[in-house]
């Protein structure tokens, strides 16, 4: 039986309060992709997009429950990276840690570019790259200040996203029930022209698209390492994800296809802006654009934080340079933050210098990483649960439902979604192939490091 690593922050300070962690958990699954991308999913799948979001959400709920079980049993800096290492071996910890870091540095650049496009729409005289770099600098400064500065920034950015969704849900429900001025009962729009107009496989196609919208829910298990009550924070966050997925995603998309016949829902612009316009909200498009900007900033902020903490945790096992573990007087791993943001700055520059080659590779080579991470989390939980039950069952304060069968089913579902990427469209296949390249490179690096260490040891 391995001895599982528990919380060791090594210079970090527990400055995140429970309200910070709660809002990180609430807002972590609400990204700009919900406000913008849901229209494209509805256009592709039809009203059955509700099922796509529900199935994708179910997978995330199950993975988070498995992660919650491990995180409450052995809270650790690096979260699932440590569990993978302890349960499956060094190769798994190294792989999931670097894949996760790579994913978030790519997302940071993508969100900086997305935010810049919104700002340029308001101030067209300024080049996009100026806005991109300004947003990167702003959120880098926030993360460098302190963990509490990150938490406070994320609290307010996430609050705006959550408040917008809540307002939409309330107004949307009144609208579809015919209780809003000028509205009529329109629940039947969800079955207009058939609930699954493009066939059953379109639902699977939708799952492949939406699953990446949910990625980020696991951030709370990493942020908990710098909270004053890590076990409580993780337990509450993972226990409440069911209703968050149902309300925020499934509920929102269901209302969208009830408010407007699905063929009339815009796929290029925000369907939420169109819905708020139907409610009679003044300047609905501008209001939603501002919310999308806050969503992009929120993801950028949490992406910088998450990438730096994962890099910091990787150093513990000698899988990253020694200097990334250096912290300042406020307990901030400032070198890990700068190392992570430097890749983001390079990617932002490449988005303008070489958008179709280098930037395309950076973004798409991390496309399927979320699913790789989920698969390793599933494997870690299956092994760790068996080990804990044999030696320390008292540590299992939060248990995975239906273990081991539901755990194996979750792993199978994850692999099915990965395989489905081959059959969706050319862009999705490209994401999978490039992500497999990323996976192969990281495994090759681990093999090289292991051989080198073995050689040093034998000498």
């Amino acid at each position: 039986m391995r001895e599982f690593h528990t919380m060791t922050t090594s210079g970090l300070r527990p400055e995140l309060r429970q309200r910070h962690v709660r809002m990180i958990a609430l807002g972590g699954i609400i990204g700009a992709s919900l406000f913008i991308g849901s229209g494209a999913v509805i256009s592709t799948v039809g009203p059955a997009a509700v099922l796509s979001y529900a199935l994708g959400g179910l997978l995330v709920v199950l993975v988070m429950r498995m992660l919650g079980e491990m995180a409450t049993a052995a809270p650790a800096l690096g979260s699932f990276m440590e569990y993978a290492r302890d349960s499956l071996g060094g190769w798994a910890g190294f792989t999931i840690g670097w894949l996760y870091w790579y994913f978030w540095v790519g997302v940071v650049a993508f969100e900086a570019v997305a935010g810049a496009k919104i700002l340029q729409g308001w101030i067209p005289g300024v080049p996009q790259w100026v806005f991109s770099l300004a947003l990167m600098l702003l959120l880098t400064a926030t993360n460098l200040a302190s963990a509490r500065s990150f938490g406070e920034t994320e609290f307010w950015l996430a609050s705006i996203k959550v408040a917008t969704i809540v307002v939409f849900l309330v107004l949307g429900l009144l609208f579809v029930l015919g209780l809003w001025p000028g509205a009529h009962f329109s629940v039947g729009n969800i079955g207009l022209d058939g609930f699954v107009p493009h066939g059953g496989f379109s639902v699977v196609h939708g799952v492949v698209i939406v699953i990446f919208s949910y990625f980020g829910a696991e951030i709370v298990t990493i942020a908990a390492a710098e909270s004053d009550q890590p076990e409580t924070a993780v337990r509450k966050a993972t226990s409440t994800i069911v209703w968050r997925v149902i309300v925020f995603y499934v509920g929102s998309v269901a209302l969208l296809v009830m408010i407007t016949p699905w063929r009339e829902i815009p796929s290029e612009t925000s369907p939420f802006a169109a819905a708020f316009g139907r409610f009679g909200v003044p300047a609905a498009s501008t209001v939603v654009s501002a919310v999308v900007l806050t969503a992009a900033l929120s993801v950028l902020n949490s992406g910088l934080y998450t990438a730096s903490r994962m890099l910091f945790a990787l150093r513990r096992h000698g899988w990253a340079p020694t200097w990334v573990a250096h912290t300042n007087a406020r307990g901030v791993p400032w070198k890990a933050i700068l190392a992570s943001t430097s890749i983001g700055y390079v990617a932002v520059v490449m988005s303008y210098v070489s958008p179709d080659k280098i930037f395309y590779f950076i973004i798409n080579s991390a496309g399927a990483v979320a699913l790789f991470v989920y698969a390793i989390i599933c494997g870690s939980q299956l092994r760790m649960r068996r080990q804990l039950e044999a030696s320390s069952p008292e540590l299992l304060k939060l248990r995975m439902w239906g273990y081991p069968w539901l755990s194996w089913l979750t792993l199978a579902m994850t692999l099915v979604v990965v395989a489905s990427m081959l059959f969706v469209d050319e862009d999705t296949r490209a994401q999978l192939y490039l992500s497999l390249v990323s996976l192969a490179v990281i495994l090759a690096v681990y093999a090289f490091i292991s051989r080198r260490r073995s050689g040093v040891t034998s000498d």
Side-chain angles (χ1 to χ4, degrees):
M1 166 63 188
R2 288 179 180 268
E3 179 182 352
F4 291 100
H5 290 93
T6 53
M7 195 71 67
T8 304
T9 54
S10 303
L12 304 184
R13 294 183 180 180
E15 291 193 333
L16 294 178
R17 300 295 177 257
Q18 288 303 300
R19 67 184 180 88
H20 296 147
V21 178
R22 280 196 298 271
M23 194 53 69
I24 290 170
L26 279 173
I29 62 171
I30 304 175
S33 58
L34 172 62
F35 294 104
I36 300 293
S38 52
V41 178
I42 293 171
S43 175
T44 301
V45 185
V50 175
L51 293 181
S52 296
Y53 277 98
L55 290 172
L58 174 62
L59 177 58
V60 173
V61 165
L62 293 174
V63 170
M64 283 297 295
R65 184 72 180 191
M66 299 168 83
L67 183 53
E69 177 184 284
M70 295 186 288
T72 52
L77 178 66
S79 183
F80 41 84
M81 184 272 289
E82 289 289 359
Y83 310 139
R85 176 188 177 275
D86 289 336
S87 300
L88 302 176
W91 71 269
F94 183 92
T95 300
I96 197 173
W98 278 109
L99 279 176
Y100 198 69
W101 177 85
Y102 182 60
F103 174 86
W104 281 111
V105 295
V107 167
V108 163
F110 180 82
E111 297 297 337
V113 173
K117 289 180 180 178
I118 295 173
L119 289 173
Q120 193 187 44
W122 297 343
I123 313 173
V126 180
Q128 277 190 28
W129 68 267
V130 173
F131 285 126
S132 293
L133 292 180
L135 294 178
M136 288 282 293
L137 289 169
L138 174 64
L139 275 305
T140 300
T142 298
N143 274 265
L144 286 172
S146 66
R148 188 162 189 172
S149 173
F150 153 75
E152 201 66 31
T153 302
E154 190 60 24
F155 177 85
W156 291 109
L157 290 174
S159 295
I160 294 172
K161 297 188 294 184
V162 172
T164 302
I165 293 295
V166 170
V167 170
F168 171 77
L169 291 171
V170 172
L171 298 185
L173 186 60
L174 293 175
F175 188 91
V176 300
L177 293 177
L179 302 177
W180 189 255
H184 62 277
F185 188 81
S186 59
V187 173
N189 280 340
I190 197 171
L192 200 64
D193 296 332
F195 183 66
V196 194
H198 299 310
F201 184 74
S202 67
V203 176
V204 178
H205 184 173
V207 173
V208 172
I209 298 172
V210 306
I211 192 67
F212 304 106
S213 301
Y214 289 112
F215 203 56
E218 72 292 332
I219 289 175
V220 68
T221 64
I222 295 175
E226 291 178 82
S227 71
D228 48 1
Q229 298 176 359
E231 290 185 34
T232 301
V234 170
R235 186 168 59 251
K236 288 183 177 179
T238 54
S239 297
T240 59
I241 190 172
V242 176
W243 70 259
R244 284 184 277 135
V245 166
I246 292 173
V247 172
F248 292 152
Y249 273 89
V250 180
S252 294
V253 174
L255 283 175
L256 284 174
V257 294
M258 292 178 187
I259 292 168
T260 308
W262 72 271
R263 294 186 187 278
E264 299 176 23
I265 294 176
S267 59
E268 300 292 331
T269 58
S270 173
F272 285 85
F276 275 114
R278 280 180 167 260
F279 302 157
V281 175
S285 180
T286 302
V287 171
V288 173
S289 291
V291 173
V292 171
L293 176 61
T294 63
L297 292 177
S298 173
V299 175
L300 201 164
N301 185 48
S302 58
L304 288 175
Y305 173 86
T306 306
S308 64
R309 268 41 176 198
M310 185 57 75
L311 188 59
F312 182 88
L314 283 164
R315 173 64 198 111
R316 175 177 179 175
H317 305 293
W319 293 336
T322 304
W323 49 264
V324 302
H326 296 171
T327 57
N328 61 20
R330 296 181 298 278
V332 175
W334 63 279
K335 291 185 178 179
I337 292 174
L338 292 179
S340 300
T341 57
S342 64
I343 305 300
Y345 287 119
V346 170
V348 165
V349 172
M350 289 302 104
S351 71
Y352 301 101
V353 175
S354 181
D356 298 327
K357 293 182 180 179
I358 299 177
F359 186 69
Y360 174 87
F361 177 82
I362 292 173
I363 299 303
N364 285 280
S365 60
V369 162
L371 294 169
F372 298 162
V373 169
Y374 285 166
I376 296 177
I377 288 174
C378 291
S380 302
Q381 188 268 342
L382 282 161
R383 176 68 65 83
M384 184 171 172
R385 172 67 174 267
R386 186 163 62 248
Q387 294 173 333
L388 286 172
E389 285 185 335
S391 64
S392 308
E394 71 280 359
L395 294 178
L396 292 168
K397 302 170 186 176
L398 182 73
R399 294 172 180 259
M400 173 61 180
W401 308 297
Y403 171 85
W405 309 113
L406 201 50
S407 297
W408 281 109
L409 178 62
T410 306
L411 177 57
M413 289 171 59
T414 304
L415 296 178
V416 166
V417 175
V418 172
S420 299
M421 294 182 70
L422 291 169
F423 308 101
V424 173
D425 55 44
E426 185 176 342
D427 289 340
T428 307
R429 280 193 296 275
Q431 285 187 356
L432 177 58
Y433 293 148
L434 291 175
S435 296
L436 288 171
V437 169
S438 301
L439 176 61
V441 168
I442 289 174
L443 287 171
V445 171
Y446 177 76
F448 173 78
I449 292 174
S450 297
R451 283 197 301 269
R452 187 174 180 183
R453 286 183 176 179
S454 298
V456 171
T457 302
S458 62
D459 290 342

